[in-house]
């Protein structure tokens, strides 16, 4: 499961943390005006869109022709209507594309490519055997769809940005640096980073009336359900597993949280391959474990307790755990504020040095 399945857990088990909203109404409430429409161009609602998790929605839905490569006209018409709806509701979108593959995400990328290949094989078999369009759940993005969408967005006046190293980390840094109000994505990493507002890209829907409907995740409500302090959220996310610390490395620890008498231990014993505990079972167990940690800042002690049953590669896994916690911590608001204050302090010291150097009298040596 890892961190990738945490959003599905939230939608199933935390209904109070998932609210269906209209982005137009969110922009209207932010302006605190009584008009039916927000004044265009004045203090817009700035939302960053994670293009990698939103390709299906930006494509405009599932058309019959997507199996053969997609339809440019239908996609461009949808993006044009999306741009018009955003302008009418005073919403500014910044679409963030993944520009490169970070080496830490290689294992995750291989899994996605294998899953996409299997889905494409199922779709082609369905078309060959039944002669009907495949189900929408088997949607596979046409080749070069991200490039086509980027061209259509630029043509419709929507700003596009490309990352060049770590995609999620650069998105959240862009959001905080430019003062954006929310992110539209489908990655649980953004829940840990805790931006001002998190919206679901998979639930994005543009209605015929021009409404932009989606699902908003409330991090405070999620923490209430898990009974976790915000400072412990980064450790909780690290113990779920991600691209730095794989969930396979945490399998022994996660099974140990369930105990030897848990009914699912029989499934683990009968399986001939690595099996991870179900998401609905392991998330509450990890939350309970994180609550019981006496010193949440002692990462070395936490890592040694987590990997105490590891027979080989202990130091490597401890190092990965620390890097995982640091990764999530660097994306939080507190880390951003501290980093910004530190940079401002260095800048003020540099300017003071420049002023002192400019006012210092020059000694001429004959």
């Amino acid at each position: 499961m890892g961190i990738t399945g945490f959003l599905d857990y939230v939608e199933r088990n935390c209904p109070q943390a998932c609210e269906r909203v209209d982005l137009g109404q969110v922009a209207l409430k932010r302006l605190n005006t009584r008009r039916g429409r927000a004044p265009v161009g004045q203090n817009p609602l700035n939302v960053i869109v994670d293009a990698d998790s939103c390709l299906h929605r930006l494509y405009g839905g599932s058309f019959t022709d997507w199996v053969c490569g997609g339809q440019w006209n239908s996609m461009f018409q949808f993006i044009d209507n999306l741009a018009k709806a955003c302008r009418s509701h005073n919403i500014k979108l910044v679409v963030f594309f993944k520009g490169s593959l970070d080496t830490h995400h290689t294992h995750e990328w291989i899994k996605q490519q294998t899953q996409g290949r299997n889905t494409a094989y199922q779709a082609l078999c369905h078309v060959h055997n039944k002669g009907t369009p495949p189900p929408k759940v088997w949607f596979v993005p046409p080749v070069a769809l991200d490039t086509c969408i980027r061209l259509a967005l630029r043509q419709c006046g929507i700003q596009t940005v490309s990352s060049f190293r770590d995609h999620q980390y650069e998105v959240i840094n862009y959001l905080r640096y430019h003062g954006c109000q929310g992110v539209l994505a489908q990655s649980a990493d953004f829940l840990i980073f805790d931006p001002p507002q998190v919206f679901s890209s998979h639930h994005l829907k543009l209605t015929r009336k021009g409404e932009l409907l989606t699902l908003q995740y409330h991090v405070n409500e999620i923490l209430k359900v898990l009974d976790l302090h915000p400072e412990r959220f980064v450790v909780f996310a690290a113990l779920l597993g991600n691209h730095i610390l794989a969930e396979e490395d945490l399998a022994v620890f996660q099974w140990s949280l369930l105990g030897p008498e848990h009914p699912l231990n029989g499934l683990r014993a009968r399986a001939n391959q690595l099996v991870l505990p179900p998401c609905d079972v392991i998330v509450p167990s990890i939350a309970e474990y994180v609550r019981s940690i006496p010193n949440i800042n002692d990462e070395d002690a936490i890592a040694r307790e987590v990997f105490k049953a590891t027979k080989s590669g202990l130091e490597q896994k401890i190092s990965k755990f620390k890097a995982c916690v640091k990764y999530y911590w660097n994306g939080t608001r507190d880390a951003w504020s501290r980093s910004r204050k530190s940079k401002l302090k260095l800048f003020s010291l540099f300017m003071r040095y420049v002023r002192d150097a400019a006012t210092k009298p020059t000694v001429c040596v004959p």
Side-chain angles (χ1 to χ4, degrees), residues 90-106:
N90 201 30
I91 301 173
K92 181 182 178 181
L93 298 182
V94 179
V95 183
F96 232 99
F97 287 86
K98 183 178 291 186
S100 63
L101 179 65
D102 186 15
T103 54
H104 294 294
H105 292 269
T106 304

Side-chain angles (χ1 to χ4, degrees), residues 17 23 84 129 214 244 340 366:
L23 292 180
K84 292 178 181 177
N129 296 331
T214 185
I244 299 175
R340 188 171 180 84

Side-chain angles (χ1 to χ4, degrees), residues 150-222:
R150 191 198 307 260
L151 293 174
L153 290 169
R154 291 173 63 90
Q155 181 67 24
C156 295
I158 298 178
Q159 183 180 354
T160 61
V161 184
S162 180
S163 62
F164 64 93
R165 187 170 296 175
D166 192 299
H167 183 68
Q168 279 85 357
Y169 189 64
E170 291 179 34
V171 168
I172 198 66
N173 277 339
Y174 184 95
L175 178 143
R176 301 197 191 282
Y177 184 80
H178 293 274
C180 299
Q181 287 76 43
V183 58
L184 183 72
Q186 202 65 29
S187 173
D189 290 339
F190 294 111
L191 293 180
I192 313 301
F193 295 152
D194 192 18
Q197 296 177 101
V198 185
F199 304 102
S200 171
S201 59
H202 286 186
H203 293 274
L204 179 64
K205 182 180 180 181
L206 177 61
T207 66
R208 296 183 181 274
K209 297 180 180 179
E211 298 172 332
L212 284 170
L213 306 179
T214 185
L215 201 67
Q216 181 178 358
Y217 302 109
H218 297 282
V219 179
N220 293 334
E221 295 296 331
I222 297 174

Side-chain angles (χ1 to χ4, degrees), residues 20-297:
R20 297 197 174 274
V21 296
D22 180 5
L23 292 180
Q25 295 298 321
V26 174
L28 189 63
K29 291 179 181 179
R30 179 173 173 271
L31 287 175
N32 194 20
T33 178
R34 296 181 179 179
R35 300 180 184 179
R37 293 283 180 174
V40 178
Q42 298 181 13
N43 196 18
L45 176 68
N46 296 279
V47 178
I48 297 181
V49 180
D50 179 20
D52 190 57
S53 66
C54 201
L55 288 179
H56 185 196
R57 303 311 307 153
L58 293 175
Y59 179 66
S62 298
F63 299 102
T64 305
D65 191 53
W66 67 264
V67 181
C68 304
Q71 296 175 329
W72 167 265
N73 290 335
S74 298
M75 180 199 69
F76 186 84
Q77 182 180 5
F78 174 81
I79 292 180
D80 186 44
N81 293 333
L82 176 65
K84 292 178 181 177
C86 290
R87 284 193 294 268
S88 65
H89 290 293
N90 201 30
I91 301 173
K92 181 182 178 181
L93 298 182
V94 179
V95 183
F96 232 99
F97 287 86
K98 183 178 291 186
S100 63
L101 179 65
D102 186 15
T103 54
H104 294 294
H105 292 269
T106 304
H107 186 64
E108 181 181 351
W109 179 82
I110 293 174
K111 286 184 178 181
Q112 293 176 354
Q113 295 301 310
T114 303
Q115 183 180 0
R117 183 178 179 180
N118 295 335
T119 304
Y121 177 77
Q122 290 177 325
L124 292 176
C125 289
H126 179 91
V127 173
H128 180 267
N129 296 331
K130 298 186 177 181
T132 58
K136 295 181 179 180
V137 293
W138 288 351
F139 176 82
V140 178
V143 177
L145 178 61
D146 54 346
T147 302
C148 295
I149 287 179
R150 191 198 307 260
L151 293 174
L153 290 169
R154 291 173 63 90
Q155 181 67 24
C156 295
I158 298 178
Q159 183 180 354
T160 61
V161 184
S162 180
S163 62
F164 64 93
R165 187 170 296 175
D166 192 299
H167 183 68
Q168 279 85 357
Y169 189 64
E170 291 179 34
V171 168
I172 198 66
N173 277 339
Y174 184 95
L175 178 143
R176 301 197 191 282
Y177 184 80
H178 293 274
C180 299
Q181 287 76 43
V183 58
L184 183 72
Q186 202 65 29
S187 173
D189 290 339
F190 294 111
L191 293 180
I192 313 301
F193 295 152
D194 192 18
Q197 296 177 101
V198 185
F199 304 102
S200 171
S201 59
H202 286 186
H203 293 274
L204 179 64
K205 182 180 180 181
L206 177 61
T207 66
R208 296 183 181 274
K209 297 180 180 179
E211 298 172 332
L212 284 170
L213 306 179
T214 185
L215 201 67
Q216 181 178 358
Y217 302 109
H218 297 282
V219 179
N220 293 334
E221 295 296 331
I222 297 174
L223 292 173
K224 288 180 182 179
V225 173
L226 297 176
D227 193 16
L228 282 178
H229 191 274
E231 293 182 356
R232 296 176 178 258
F233 207 19
V234 293
V235 176
F236 167 81
L239 294 179
L240 287 176
N242 67 348
H243 60 279
I244 299 175
L245 180 62
E247 54 264 31
E248 289 81 3
D249 295 333
L250 294 163
V252 176
F253 163 72
Q254 292 182 359
W255 279 111
S256 66
L257 294 179
L258 302 183
E261 299 181 358
H262 197 277
L264 292 176
N265 274 310
L267 174 65
R268 178 193 178 194
R270 290 194 300 268
N272 296 325
Q273 58 184 357
L274 180 64
V275 178
L276 297 172
C279 177
D280 294 345
V281 176
I282 196 59
V283 168
S285 300
I286 294 179
E288 182 180 357
Y289 175 81
V290 173
R291 285 196 303 270
S292 65
I293 297 177
N295 186 5
I296 200 64
N297 297 319

